[in-house]
Amino acid sequence: MDNKDTSIQISANTPHDAVFKQFLHHPDTARDFMQLHLPQYLQPICDFRTLKLESGSFVTDDLRPYFSDILYSLKTTTNDDACISILIEHQSTPDKQMAFRLLRYAIAAMQNHLQQGHQTLPLVIPLLFYTGKRSPYPYSTRWLDNFADPELAARLYTHAFPLVDVTLIPDEEIMTHRSMAALTLLQKHIHQRDLMNIMDKLVRVFHTSAMTRQQLVSLINYLSHVGQAINAKDFVHKLAQHVPQHKDTLMTIAEQLKQEGMEQGIERGIEKGIEQGRYAGLIEVARTMLNNGLDQDFILKMTGLTTDELARIEH
């Protein structure tokens, strides 16, 4: 009887990684590893009884894969709904950007967690296991140290990111925002039903702020496509009367909007005519069916007409 081969398959190119992965793929071994090497402040929140090996490969939105050596998930001891992931990376050679690599793996794991339908991010704990010839490991595992100015980076990335909430900025303040004033003012009020209410303010901004022709065209295109319940042509025409330095451009845009409106009206008329023609055809088919004594339920099913519409044909 042949003996089953139970030897560990180790690649000649990556023997250090291969044997490490073989060992750490066993949950009992991984549990021992984590209890030995995880920082003490993290161990009390880890329910090691729930340890589960996860896939260590992730594909990002731009289809570039990220691979971590070992990834485990477990529950927390403090919140039944919370989840922790422990990402273990083996390294036999020093890598100056290792901390950033670990961060990328951690973020990929978080993204994968969200794509599974979870609403909160998991705490992903990166852990680097180093076995190289050079001792001690020569680089920081604090990813912020990869920046030229770590303290400035820490200030940025450990606080809330800058937020510009235009809904809370007073209009008078927005009007002092130089070349951004017109765009900001319009985007603040774009959801209003009557943008004529900001016409005077917009005119003042046009008089005091520099704007290229392309920016002006883009702004008006935005207005015409996103503005709610507004006659864009009339709005632009009125704006042109109050902004002489842009009058030619605005009048050209107003004429284009008028032309587009006419074309859309023609298209809607054609569609309506086609629909009316289709309806008239169904009525004629139904009348023929009735004259030939076909069952009403069958006629309704075949034509899609309503009972009332069929009744009007009969009379």
Side-chain angles (χ1 to χ4, degrees):
M1 184 175 67
D2 294 337
N3 291 325
K4 186 178 180 181
D5 183 10
T6 59
S7 62
I8 297 175
Q9 300 300 313
I10 297 179
S11 167
N13 294 325
T14 58
H16 306 293
D17 286 344
V19 69
F20 180 79
K21 291 178 182 179
Q22 286 282 2
F23 267 71
L24 269 294
H25 268 77
H26 291 273
D28 289 340
T29 304
R31 185 179 297 108
D32 288 342
F33 178 89
M34 294 172 192
Q35 290 175 337
L36 284 168
H37 299 299
L38 276 182
Q40 287 300 314
Y41 73 92
L42 291 173
Q43 298 217 18
I45 65 171
C46 296
D47 185 352
F48 292 108
R49 298 169 300 175
T50 63
L51 205 59
K52 178 184 176 183
L53 181 66
E54 303 285 354
S55 170
S57 65
F58 317 100
V59 177
T60 56
D61 290 340
D62 57 1
L63 302 182
R64 288 182 302 175
Y66 290 92
F67 296 94
S68 63
D69 283 345
I70 305 290
L71 182 68
Y72 276 93
S73 67
L74 48 83
K75 298 291 185 181
T76 70
T77 58
T78 56
N79 187 331
D80 292 338
D81 296 326
C83 180
I84 294 177
S85 294
I86 300 177
L87 189 155
I88 306 170
E89 191 73 10
H90 175 269
Q91 192 76 4
S92 57
T93 56
D95 182 348
K96 189 173 184 179
Q97 301 295 330
M98 193 66 216
F100 183 54
R101 278 178 53 192
L102 289 172
L103 180 69
R104 294 170 72 190
Y105 297 155
I107 290 176
M110 294 176 193
Q111 179 65 31
N112 187 60
H113 185 77
L114 291 179
Q115 289 174 344
Q116 293 174 9
H118 301 282
Q119 299 301 309
T120 58
L121 293 174
L123 183 66
V124 180
I125 306 171
L127 197 160
L128 178 63
F129 190 75
Y130 172 67
T131 59
K133 294 180 180 179
R134 185 174 176 181
S135 179
Y137 187 77
Y139 302 119
S140 170
T141 56
R142 179 177 179 260
W143 79 279
L144 295 170
D145 289 335
N146 288 137
F147 289 92
D149 188 338
E151 297 312 311
L152 181 59
R155 184 176 179 184
L156 172 61
Y157 291 113
T158 58
H159 293 80
F161 292 144
L163 168 66
V164 182
D165 186 347
V166 297
T167 66
L168 301 179
I169 305 175
D171 287 356
E172 293 300 323
E173 181 180 338
I174 289 175
M175 292 167 66
T176 67
H177 288 184
R178 301 187 297 278
S179 59
M180 277 296 296
L183 174 61
T184 307
L185 185 67
L186 193 56
Q187 290 198 311
K188 176 183 177 181
H189 294 282
I190 195 66
H191 302 296
Q192 290 184 188
R193 295 195 62 82
D194 189 1
L195 282 175
M196 288 294 184
N197 291 333
I198 66 166
M199 175 62 74
D200 291 343
K201 294 177 181 177
L202 201 56
V203 168
R204 287 164 54 192
V205 166
F206 271 70
H207 281 298
T208 58
S209 304
M211 186 181 305
T212 68
R213 185 182 186 282
Q214 186 56 53
Q215 288 174 331
L216 176 60
V217 172
S218 297
L219 196 68
I220 301 305
N221 282 336
Y222 169 71
L223 168 71
S224 63
H225 286 91
V226 183
Q228 298 180 2
I230 178 177
N231 186 319
K233 177 179 69 67
D234 290 346
F235 187 91
V236 174
H237 191 272
K238 184 174 181 179
L239 186 61
Q241 303 308 311
H242 293 85
V243 189
Q245 72 271 31
H246 295 300
K247 184 175 181 179
D248 291 344
T249 300
L250 289 170
M251 291 301 289
T252 300
I253 294 173
E255 188 61 32
Q256 290 173 346
L257 291 171
K258 179 181 178 181
Q259 183 66 29
E260 288 174 4
M262 292 173 60
E263 291 173 355
Q264 290 172 0
I266 292 171
E267 289 175 0
R268 285 194 293 269
I270 292 172
E271 290 172 359
K272 185 175 181 181
I274 292 172
E275 187 60 33
Q276 289 175 340
R278 187 182 296 115
Y279 179 72
L282 290 174
I283 294 296
E284 189 60 34
V285 169
R287 181 176 287 111
T288 301
M289 288 180 172
L290 285 170
N291 292 338
N292 283 277
L294 295 177
D295 180 72
Q296 288 190 2
D297 289 339
F298 176 77
I299 296 174
L300 293 173
K301 181 178 180 181
M302 294 302 295
T303 63
L305 296 174
T306 67
T307 304
D308 289 343
E309 288 170 333
L310 191 61
R312 285 196 293 271
I313 297 174
E314 292 180 303
H315 292 88

